[in-house]
Coordinates of all heavy atoms in Angstrom, one line a residue:
M8 N 0.8 -1.2 0.0 CA 0.0 0.0 0.0 C 0.9 1.3 0.0 O 1.9 1.3 0.6 CB -0.9 0.0 1.2 CG -2.3 0.3 0.9 SD -3.4 0.7 2.2 CE -3.3 -0.5 3.4
S9 N 0.4 2.3 -0.7 CA 1.2 3.5 -0.7 C 0.7 4.5 0.3 O -0.5 4.7 0.5 CB 1.1 4.1 -2.1 OG 1.7 5.3 -2.2
D10 N 1.6 5.2 0.9 CA 1.2 6.2 1.9 C 1.1 7.6 1.3 O 0.8 8.6 1.9 CB 2.2 6.3 3.0 CG 2.1 5.1 3.9 OD1 1.0 4.4 4.0 OD2 3.1 4.8 4.6
T11 N 1.4 7.7 0.0 CA 1.4 8.9 -0.7 C -0.1 9.3 -1.1 O -0.8 8.6 -1.8 CB 2.2 8.9 -2.0 OG1 3.5 8.4 -1.7 CG2 2.2 10.2 -2.7
P12 N -0.6 10.4 -0.5 CA -1.9 10.8 -0.8 C -2.1 11.3 -2.2 O -1.2 12.1 -2.7 CB -2.2 11.9 0.2 CG -0.9 12.5 0.5 CD 0.1 11.4 0.4
G13 N -3.1 10.9 -2.9 CA -3.3 11.4 -4.3 C -4.2 12.6 -4.2 O -4.8 13.0 -3.2
K14 N -4.2 13.3 -5.4 CA -5.1 14.5 -5.4 C -6.5 14.1 -5.5 O -6.9 13.3 -6.3 CB -4.7 15.3 -6.7 CG -5.4 16.6 -6.8 CD -5.0 17.4 -8.0 CE -5.8 18.7 -8.0 NZ -5.3 19.5 -9.1
Q15 N -7.3 14.6 -4.6 CA -8.7 14.3 -4.5 C -9.5 15.0 -5.7 O -9.3 16.2 -5.9 CB -9.4 14.7 -3.2 CG -8.9 13.9 -2.0 CD -9.6 14.3 -0.8 OE1 -10.0 15.4 -0.6 NE2 -9.7 13.3 0.1
Q16 N -10.4 14.2 -6.3 CA -11.2 14.8 -7.4 C -12.6 14.8 -6.9 O -13.1 13.9 -6.2 CB -11.1 13.9 -8.6 CG -9.7 13.9 -9.3 CD -9.4 15.2 -10.0 OE1 -10.3 15.9 -10.4 NE2 -8.2 15.5 -10.0
N17 N -13.3 15.9 -7.2 CA -14.7 16.0 -6.9 C -15.5 15.2 -7.8 O -15.2 15.1 -9.0 CB -15.2 17.4 -6.9 CG -14.6 18.3 -5.8 OD1 -14.3 17.8 -4.7 ND2 -14.4 19.5 -6.1
T18 N -16.6 14.6 -7.4 CA -17.5 13.8 -8.3 C -18.3 14.8 -9.1 O -18.5 16.0 -8.8 CB -18.5 13.0 -7.5 OG1 -19.3 13.8 -6.7 CG2 -17.7 12.0 -6.5
A19 N -18.8 14.2 -10.2 CA -19.7 15.0 -11.1 C -20.9 15.5 -10.4 O -21.4 16.6 -10.7 CB -20.0 14.2 -12.4
A20 N -21.5 14.7 -9.5 CA -22.7 15.0 -8.8 C -22.4 16.2 -7.9 O -23.2 17.1 -7.8 CB -23.2 13.9 -8.0
F21 N -21.2 16.2 -7.2 CA -20.9 17.3 -6.3 C -20.7 18.6 -7.1 O -21.2 19.7 -6.7 CB -19.6 17.0 -5.5 CG -19.2 18.1 -4.6 CD1 -19.9 18.3 -3.4 CD2 -18.1 18.9 -4.9 CE1 -19.5 19.3 -2.5 CE2 -17.8 19.9 -4.0 CZ -18.4 20.1 -2.9
Y22 N -20.0 18.5 -8.2 CA -19.8 19.7 -9.1 C -21.2 20.2 -9.6 O -21.4 21.4 -9.6 CB -18.9 19.3 -10.3 CG -18.7 20.4 -11.2 CD1 -17.8 21.4 -10.9 CD2 -19.4 20.5 -12.4 CE1 -17.5 22.5 -11.8 CE2 -19.1 21.6 -13.3 CZ -18.2 22.5 -13.0 OH -18.0 23.6 -13.8
G23 N -22.1 19.3 -10.0 CA -23.4 19.7 -10.5 C -24.2 20.4 -9.4 O -24.9 21.4 -9.7
Q24 N -24.1 19.8 -8.2 CA -24.9 20.4 -7.1 C -24.4 21.8 -6.8 O -25.1 22.7 -6.5 CB -24.8 19.5 -5.9 CG -25.6 19.9 -4.7 CD -24.9 20.9 -3.8 OE1 -23.7 20.9 -3.7 NE2 -25.6 21.7 -3.1
A25 N -23.1 22.0 -6.9 CA -22.5 23.3 -6.5 C -22.9 24.3 -7.6 O -23.3 25.5 -7.3 CB -21.0 23.2 -6.5
V26 N -22.9 23.9 -8.9 CA -23.2 24.8 -9.9 C -24.7 25.2 -9.9 O -25.1 26.3 -10.0 CB -22.9 24.2 -11.3 CG1 -23.5 25.0 -12.5 CG2 -21.4 24.1 -11.5
A27 N -25.6 24.2 -9.6 CA -27.0 24.4 -9.5 C -27.3 25.3 -8.3 O -28.2 26.2 -8.4 CB -27.7 23.0 -9.4
S28 N -26.7 25.1 -7.2 CA -26.9 25.9 -6.0 C -26.5 27.3 -6.3 O -27.3 28.3 -5.9 CB -26.1 25.3 -4.8 OG -26.2 26.2 -3.7
F29 N -25.4 27.5 -6.9 CA -25.0 28.9 -7.3 C -26.0 29.6 -8.2 O -26.4 30.7 -8.0 CB -23.6 28.9 -7.9 CG -23.1 30.2 -8.3 CD1 -22.6 31.1 -7.4 CD2 -23.1 30.6 -9.7 CE1 -22.2 32.4 -7.8 CE2 -22.7 31.8 -10.1 CZ -22.2 32.7 -9.2
A30 N -26.5 28.8 -9.2 CA -27.4 29.4 -10.2 C -28.8 29.7 -9.5 O -29.3 30.8 -9.8 CB -27.7 28.4 -11.3
V31 N -29.2 28.9 -8.6 CA -30.5 29.1 -7.9 C -30.3 30.4 -7.0 O -31.2 31.2 -6.9 CB -30.9 27.9 -7.1 CG1 -32.0 28.2 -6.1 CG2 -31.4 26.8 -8.0
A32 N -29.2 30.5 -6.3 CA -29.0 31.6 -5.4 C -28.9 32.9 -6.2 O -29.5 33.9 -5.8 CB -27.7 31.4 -4.6
M33 N -28.2 32.9 -7.3 CA -28.1 34.1 -8.1 C -29.5 34.5 -8.7 O -29.8 35.7 -8.8 CB -27.1 33.9 -9.2 CG -25.6 34.0 -8.7 SD -25.2 35.6 -8.0 CE -25.2 36.6 -9.5
A34 N -30.2 33.5 -9.2 CA -31.5 33.8 -9.8 C -32.5 34.3 -8.7 O -33.2 35.3 -9.0 CB -32.1 32.5 -10.4
A35 N -32.5 33.7 -7.5 CA -33.4 34.2 -6.5 C -33.0 35.6 -6.1 O -33.9 36.4 -5.8 CB -33.3 33.3 -5.3
T36 N -31.7 35.9 -6.0 CA -31.3 37.3 -5.7 C -31.7 38.3 -6.7 O -32.2 39.4 -6.5 CB -29.8 37.3 -5.4 OG1 -29.5 36.4 -4.4 CG2 -29.4 38.7 -5.0
A37 N -31.5 37.9 -8.0 CA -31.9 38.8 -9.1 C -33.4 39.0 -9.1 O -33.9 40.2 -9.3 CB -31.4 38.2 -10.4
I38 N -34.2 38.0 -8.9 CA -35.7 38.1 -8.9 C -36.1 39.0 -7.7 O -36.9 39.9 -7.8 CB -36.3 36.7 -8.8 CG1 -36.2 36.0 -10.2 CG2 -37.8 36.9 -8.5 CD1 -36.5 34.5 -10.1
G39 N -35.4 38.8 -6.6 CA -35.7 39.6 -5.4 C -35.4 41.1 -5.6 O -36.2 41.9 -5.2
I40 N -34.3 41.4 -6.2 CA -33.9 42.7 -6.5 C -34.9 43.3 -7.5 O -35.4 44.5 -7.4 CB -32.5 42.9 -7.0 CG1 -31.5 42.6 -5.8 CG2 -32.2 44.2 -7.5 CD1 -30.1 42.5 -6.2
Y41 N -35.3 42.6 -8.6 CA -36.2 43.0 -9.6 C -37.6 43.3 -9.0 O -38.2 44.3 -9.4 CB -36.3 42.0 -10.7 CG -37.2 42.4 -11.8 CD1 -36.8 43.4 -12.8 CD2 -38.5 41.9 -12.0 CE1 -37.7 43.8 -13.8 CE2 -39.3 42.2 -13.0 CZ -38.9 43.2 -13.9 OH -39.8 43.6 -14.9
Q42 N -38.0 42.5 -8.1 CA -39.4 42.7 -7.6 C -39.4 43.7 -6.4 O -40.5 44.0 -5.9 CB -39.9 41.3 -7.0 CG -40.1 40.3 -8.1 CD -41.3 40.7 -9.0 OE1 -42.2 41.3 -8.6 NE2 -41.1 40.3 -10.3
L43 N -38.3 44.2 -6.0 CA -38.2 45.1 -4.9 C -38.9 46.4 -5.2 O -38.8 46.9 -6.3 CB -36.7 45.4 -4.6 CG -36.4 46.2 -3.3 CD1 -36.9 45.5 -2.1 CD2 -35.0 46.6 -3.3
S44 N -39.8 46.9 -4.3 CA -40.5 48.1 -4.6 C -39.6 49.3 -4.1 O -39.8 49.8 -3.1 CB -41.9 48.1 -3.9 OG -41.6 48.0 -2.5
A45 N -38.7 49.6 -5.0 CA -37.8 50.7 -4.7 C -37.5 51.4 -6.1 O -37.8 50.9 -7.1 CB -36.5 50.2 -4.0
D46 N -36.8 52.5 -6.0 CA -36.4 53.2 -7.2 C -35.4 52.4 -8.0 O -34.7 51.5 -7.4 CB -35.8 54.6 -6.9 CG -36.8 55.6 -6.3 OD1 -38.0 55.4 -6.6 OD2 -36.3 56.5 -5.6
A47 N -35.3 52.7 -9.3 CA -34.4 51.9 -10.1 C -32.9 52.1 -9.6 O -32.2 51.1 -9.7 CB -34.5 52.4 -11.6
W48 N -32.5 53.2 -9.2 CA -31.1 53.4 -8.7 C -30.8 52.5 -7.5 O -29.7 52.1 -7.3 CB -30.8 54.9 -8.5 CG -31.4 55.5 -7.3 CD1 -32.6 56.1 -7.2 CD2 -30.9 55.5 -6.0 NE1 -32.9 56.5 -5.9 CE2 -31.8 56.1 -5.1 CE3 -29.7 55.0 -5.4 CZ2 -31.6 56.3 -3.7 CZ3 -29.5 55.2 -4.1 CH2 -30.4 55.8 -3.2
V49 N -31.8 52.3 -6.6 CA -31.6 51.4 -5.5 C -31.4 50.0 -5.9 O -30.5 49.3 -5.5 CB -32.8 51.6 -4.5 CG1 -32.6 50.6 -3.4 CG2 -32.9 53.0 -3.9
R50 N -32.3 49.6 -6.9 CA -32.1 48.2 -7.4 C -30.8 48.0 -8.1 O -30.2 47.0 -8.0 CB -33.3 47.9 -8.3 CG -34.6 47.7 -7.5 CD -35.7 47.1 -8.3 NE -35.9 47.7 -9.7 CZ -36.9 48.6 -9.9 NH1 -37.7 48.9 -9.0 NH2 -37.0 49.0 -11.2
A51 N -30.4 49.0 -8.9 CA -29.1 49.0 -9.6 C -27.9 48.9 -8.6 O -27.0 48.1 -8.8 CB -28.9 50.2 -10.5
F52 N -28.0 49.7 -7.5 CA -27.0 49.6 -6.5 C -26.9 48.2 -5.9 O -25.8 47.7 -5.7 CB -27.2 50.7 -5.4 CG -26.3 50.6 -4.3 CD1 -25.0 51.2 -4.4 CD2 -26.6 50.0 -3.1 CE1 -24.1 51.2 -3.4 CE2 -25.7 50.0 -2.1 CZ -24.4 50.5 -2.2
L53 N -28.0 47.7 -5.5 CA -28.0 46.3 -4.9 C -27.5 45.3 -5.9 O -26.8 44.4 -5.5 CB -29.4 45.9 -4.5 CG -30.0 46.7 -3.3 CD1 -31.4 46.4 -3.0 CD2 -29.1 46.5 -2.1
A54 N -27.8 45.4 -7.2 CA -27.3 44.5 -8.2 C -25.8 44.5 -8.3 O -25.1 43.5 -8.4 CB -28.0 44.7 -9.5
I55 N -25.3 45.8 -8.3 CA -23.8 45.9 -8.4 C -23.2 45.4 -7.2 O -22.1 44.7 -7.2 CB -23.5 47.4 -8.6 CG1 -23.9 47.9 -10.0 CG2 -22.0 47.7 -8.5 CD1 -23.3 47.2 -11.2
A56 N -23.8 45.6 -6.0 CA -23.2 45.1 -4.8 C -23.2 43.6 -4.8 O -22.2 43.0 -4.3 CB -24.1 45.6 -3.6
V57 N -24.2 42.9 -5.3 CA -24.2 41.5 -5.4 C -23.2 41.0 -6.3 O -22.4 40.0 -6.0 CB -25.6 41.0 -5.8 CG1 -25.6 39.5 -6.2 CG2 -26.6 41.2 -4.7
L58 N -23.0 41.6 -7.5 CA -22.0 41.2 -8.4 C -20.6 41.4 -7.8 O -19.7 40.5 -7.9 CB -22.0 42.0 -9.7 CG -23.2 41.7 -10.6 CD1 -23.3 42.6 -11.8 CD2 -23.2 40.2 -11.0
Y59 N -20.4 42.4 -7.0 CA -19.1 42.7 -6.4 C -18.8 41.6 -5.3 O -17.7 41.1 -5.2 CB -19.1 44.1 -5.7 CG -17.8 44.4 -5.0 CD1 -16.6 44.4 -5.7 CD2 -17.8 44.7 -3.7 CE1 -15.4 44.7 -5.1 CE2 -16.6 45.0 -3.0 CZ -15.4 45.0 -3.7 OH -14.2 45.3 -3.1
L60 N -19.9 41.2 -4.6 CA -19.8 40.2 -3.6 C -19.4 38.8 -4.2 O -18.6 38.1 -3.7 CB -21.1 40.1 -2.8 CG -21.1 39.0 -1.7 CD1 -20.1 39.3 -0.6 CD2 -22.5 38.9 -1.1
V61 N -20.0 38.5 -5.3 CA -19.8 37.2 -6.0 C -18.3 37.2 -6.5 O -17.6 36.2 -6.3 CB -20.8 37.0 -7.1 CG1 -20.4 35.9 -8.0 CG2 -22.2 36.8 -6.6
T62 N -17.9 38.3 -7.2 CA -16.5 38.3 -7.7 C -15.5 38.2 -6.5 O -14.5 37.5 -6.7 CB -16.2 39.5 -8.6 OG1 -16.5 40.7 -7.8 CG2 -17.1 39.4 -9.8
S63 N -15.8 38.9 -5.4 CA -14.9 38.8 -4.3 C -14.8 37.4 -3.7 O -13.8 36.9 -3.3 CB -15.3 39.8 -3.2 OG -15.3 41.1 -3.7
A64 N -16.0 36.7 -3.6 CA -16.0 35.4 -3.1 C -15.2 34.4 -4.0 O -14.5 33.6 -3.5 CB -17.4 34.9 -3.0
F65 N -15.3 34.6 -5.3 CA -14.5 33.7 -6.2 C -13.0 34.0 -6.1 O -12.2 33.1 -6.0 CB -14.9 34.0 -7.7 CG -16.1 33.3 -8.2 CD1 -17.2 33.9 -8.6 CD2 -16.1 31.9 -8.2 CE1 -18.3 33.2 -9.1 CE2 -17.2 31.1 -8.6 CZ -18.4 31.8 -9.1
T66 N -12.7 35.3 -5.9 CA -11.3 35.6 -5.7 C -10.7 35.0 -4.4 O -9.6 34.5 -4.4 CB -11.1 37.1 -5.8 OG1 -11.5 37.6 -7.0 CG2 -9.6 37.5 -5.6
L67 N -11.5 35.2 -3.4 CA -11.1 34.6 -2.1 C -10.9 33.1 -2.1 O -10.0 32.6 -1.6 CB -12.1 35.0 -1.0 CG -11.8 34.5 0.4 CD1 -10.5 35.0 0.9 CD2 -13.0 34.8 1.3
S68 N -11.9 32.4 -2.7 CA -11.8 31.0 -2.8 C -10.6 30.5 -3.6 O -9.9 29.6 -3.3 CB -13.0 30.3 -3.4 OG -13.2 30.7 -4.7
K69 N -10.2 31.3 -4.7 CA -9.0 31.0 -5.5 C -7.8 31.2 -4.7 O -6.8 30.4 -4.7 CB -9.0 31.8 -6.7 CG -7.8 31.5 -7.6 CD -7.7 32.5 -8.8 CE -6.5 32.2 -9.7 NZ -5.3 32.0 -9.0
V70 N -7.7 32.3 -3.9 CA -6.5 32.6 -3.1 C -6.3 31.5 -2.0 O -5.2 31.0 -1.8 CB -6.7 34.0 -2.4 CG1 -5.6 34.2 -1.4 CG2 -6.6 35.1 -3.5
I71 N -7.4 31.1 -1.4 CA -7.3 30.0 -0.4 C -6.9 28.7 -1.0 O -6.0 28.0 -0.5 CB -8.7 29.9 0.4 CG1 -8.9 31.1 1.2 CG2 -8.7 28.6 1.2 CD1 -10.4 31.1 1.8
R72 N -7.4 28.4 -2.2 CA -7.0 27.2 -2.9 C -5.6 27.2 -3.3 O -4.8 26.2 -3.0 CB -7.9 26.9 -4.1 CG -7.5 25.7 -4.8 CD -7.9 25.7 -6.3 NE -7.2 26.7 -7.0 CZ -7.6 27.3 -8.1 NH1 -8.7 26.9 -8.7 NH2 -6.8 28.2 -8.7
D73 N -5.1 28.3 -3.8 CA -3.7 28.4 -4.2 C -2.8 28.4 -3.0 O -1.7 27.8 -3.1 CB -3.5 29.8 -4.9 CG -4.1 29.8 -6.3 OD1 -4.6 28.7 -6.8 OD2 -4.2 30.9 -6.9
R74 N -3.2 28.9 -1.9 CA -2.3 28.8 -0.7 C -2.2 27.4 -0.2 O -1.2 27.0 0.2 CB -2.9 29.8 0.4 CG -2.1 29.7 1.7 CD -2.6 30.6 2.7 NE -2.1 31.9 2.4 CZ -2.3 33.0 3.2 NH1 -3.1 32.9 4.3 NH2 -1.9 34.2 2.9
Q75 N -3.4 26.7 -0.2 CA -3.4 25.3 0.3 C -2.5 24.4 -0.7 O -1.8 23.5 -0.2 CB -4.8 24.8 0.4 CG -5.5 25.3 1.6 CD -7.0 24.9 1.6 OE1 -7.5 24.3 0.7 NE2 -7.6 25.1 2.8
E76 N -2.6 24.6 -2.0 CA -1.9 23.9 -2.9 C -0.4 24.1 -2.8 O 0.4 23.3 -3.0 CB -2.3 24.1 -4.4 CG -3.7 23.5 -4.7 CD -4.1 23.8 -6.1 OE1 -3.5 24.6 -6.8 OE2 -5.2 23.2 -6.5
G77 N 0.0 25.4 -2.5 CA 1.4 25.8 -2.3 C 2.0 25.2 -1.1 O 3.2 25.0 -1.0
A78 N 1.1 25.0 -0.1 CA 1.6 24.5 1.2 C 2.0 23.0 1.2 O 2.7 22.6 2.1 CB 0.6 24.8 2.3
G79 N 1.4 22.3 0.3 CA 1.7 20.9 0.2 C 0.8 20.1 1.1 O -0.3 20.6 1.6
V80 N 1.1 18.9 1.5 CA 0.3 18.1 2.3 C 0.3 18.5 3.8 O -0.7 18.6 4.5 CB 0.6 16.6 2.2 CG1 -0.2 15.7 3.1 CG2 0.4 16.2 0.7
A81 N 1.5 18.7 4.3 CA 1.7 19.0 5.7 C 1.5 20.5 5.9 O 1.9 21.3 5.1 CB 3.1 18.7 6.1
P82 N 0.8 20.9 7.0 CA 0.6 22.3 7.3 C 2.0 23.0 7.7 O 2.8 22.3 8.2 CB -0.3 22.3 8.5 CG -0.2 20.9 9.1 CD 0.2 20.0 8.0
S83 N 2.1 24.2 7.3 CA 3.4 24.9 7.5 C 3.5 25.4 9.0 O 4.5 25.8 9.4 CB 3.5 26.1 6.6 OG 2.4 27.0 6.8
Y84 N 2.4 25.4 9.7 CA 2.4 25.8 11.1 C 1.8 24.8 12.0 O 0.6 24.4 11.8 CB 1.6 27.1 11.2 CG 1.4 27.7 12.6 CD1 2.5 28.1 13.3 CD2 0.2 27.6 13.2 CE1 2.4 28.6 14.6 CE2 0.1 28.1 14.5 CZ 1.2 28.6 15.2 OH 1.1 29.1 16.5
A85 N 2.5 24.2 12.9 CA 2.1 23.2 13.8 C 2.5 23.6 15.2 O 3.6 23.3 15.7 CB 2.7 21.9 13.4
P86 N 1.6 24.4 15.9 CA 2.0 24.9 17.2 C 2.2 23.9 18.3 O 2.9 24.1 19.3 CB 0.9 25.8 17.6 CG -0.3 25.3 16.8 CD 0.3 24.7 15.6
Y87 N 1.6 22.7 18.2 CA 1.7 21.7 19.2 C 2.7 20.6 18.9 O 2.7 19.6 19.6 CB 0.3 21.1 19.5 CG -0.7 22.2 19.9 CD1 -1.7 22.5 19.1 CD2 -0.5 22.8 21.1 CE1 -2.6 23.5 19.4 CE2 -1.4 23.8 21.5 CZ -2.4 24.2 20.7 OH -3.3 25.1 21.0
E88 N 3.5 20.8 17.9 CA 4.4 19.8 17.5 C 5.7 19.8 18.4 O 6.2 20.9 18.7 CB 4.9 20.0 16.1 CG 5.8 18.9 15.5 CD 6.1 19.2 14.0 OE1 5.1 19.4 13.3 OE2 7.3 19.2 13.7
K89 N 6.1 18.6 18.9 CA 7.3 18.6 19.7 C 8.5 18.6 18.9 O 8.6 18.0 17.8 CB 7.3 17.3 20.6 CG 6.3 17.2 21.6 CD 6.4 16.0 22.5 CE 5.4 16.0 23.6 NZ 5.5 14.8 24.4
R90 N 9.5 19.3 19.4 CA 10.8 19.4 18.6 C 11.9 18.6 19.2 O 12.0 18.3 20.3 CB 11.2 20.8 18.5 CG 10.3 21.7 17.8 CD 10.7 23.1 17.7 NE 9.7 23.8 17.0 CZ 10.0 24.8 16.3 NH1 11.2 25.3 16.1 NH2 9.0 25.5 15.7

C-alpha cells in the first residue's frame, strides 16, 4: 500500500450540485432585486453590490485554494508539535 496521498477529485454530482446551487442563489437574488418596490437606482446599486460580492467570493476561494496547494500536504504551522 502507498502512503502517498493522491489528489482528490470531486465527483460530477458534487460539481453539478455546486453549480445548481450557485445558479439558484443568483436567480433568487436577481428576482428579489427586480421585484423590490424601490427606485431603479436602489435596485441597480443592490445588483452591483451582489456582483461585487460574488466576484470577491470567487477571488477569495481561489486565493485560499492556491495557498493550500502551495503549502503541500503538511501544514506549515504546527504549534503543538514537539521538537
Side-chain angles (χ1 to χ4, degrees):
M8 225 192 313
S9 175
D10 290 336
T11 307
K14 184 175 180 179
Q15 290 184 332
Q16 294 288 331
N17 292 329
T18 63
F21 180 76
Y22 180 77
Q24 185 271 332
V26 170
S28 176
F29 178 76
V31 167
M33 286 297 290
T36 303
I38 291 169
I40 290 173
Y41 180 75
Q42 295 293 327
L43 187 66
S44 60
D46 291 337
W48 71 270
V49 173
R50 291 194 309 261
F52 176 80
L53 292 174
I55 294 296
V57 167
L58 290 175
Y59 181 59
L60 179 63
V61 169
T62 58
S63 296
F65 277 121
T66 302
L67 178 62
S68 66
K69 182 187 178 313
V70 168
I71 291 170
R72 182 203 62 201
D73 291 348
R74 179 178 281 183
Q75 287 176 345
E76 286 179 354
V80 176
S83 60
Y84 176 67
Y87 301 111
E88 184 178 307
K89 291 184 178 181
R90 292 179 184 215

